[in-house]
Amino acid sequence: MKKSNLDERQEQELLKIERNGFWLAFWLLVAAMLVQMVLTKDTTATFGETLILLIISMYISISCLKAGIWDRRLKANSKTNLIASLIAGA
């Protein structure tokens, strides 16, 4: 296991964000599946699941940015910013 660059408070905050994100995803996916089972017999309707994944991704990203947490192993510096920007640009 790699060394974490987060202090105890940041680690607890990240765990809380991840826990809330997981339960949000779980219950929204359950609700989407129930609605699809009731309203349609079409098993290819994945719009709801895609929308839920988008919502979860936005929640995790915004929560981590708000808390000032990037990752357990990465430090926010100019080198990391450059590499992340190049990856996102590709």
Side-chain angles (χ1 to χ4, degrees), residues 28-64:
L28 288 174
L29 284 171
V30 168
M33 289 185 293
L34 289 174
V35 168
Q36 286 179 359
M37 284 190 293
V38 170
L39 296 180
T40 183
K41 301 293 182 196
D42 185 14
T43 58
T44 61
T46 60
F47 177 74
E49 287 83 357
T50 305
L51 183 63
I52 291 168
L53 289 175
L54 178 64
I55 292 168
I56 293 166
S57 298
M58 289 174 47
Y59 168 77
I60 296 289
S61 298
I62 292 169
S63 297
C64 287

Side-chain angles (χ1 to χ4, degrees), residues 70 74-90:
W70 277 53
L74 298 175
K75 290 187 178 183
N77 57 29
S78 57
K79 180 181 175 185
T80 305
N81 288 341
L82 177 64
I83 293 171
S85 296
L86 291 174
I87 291 171

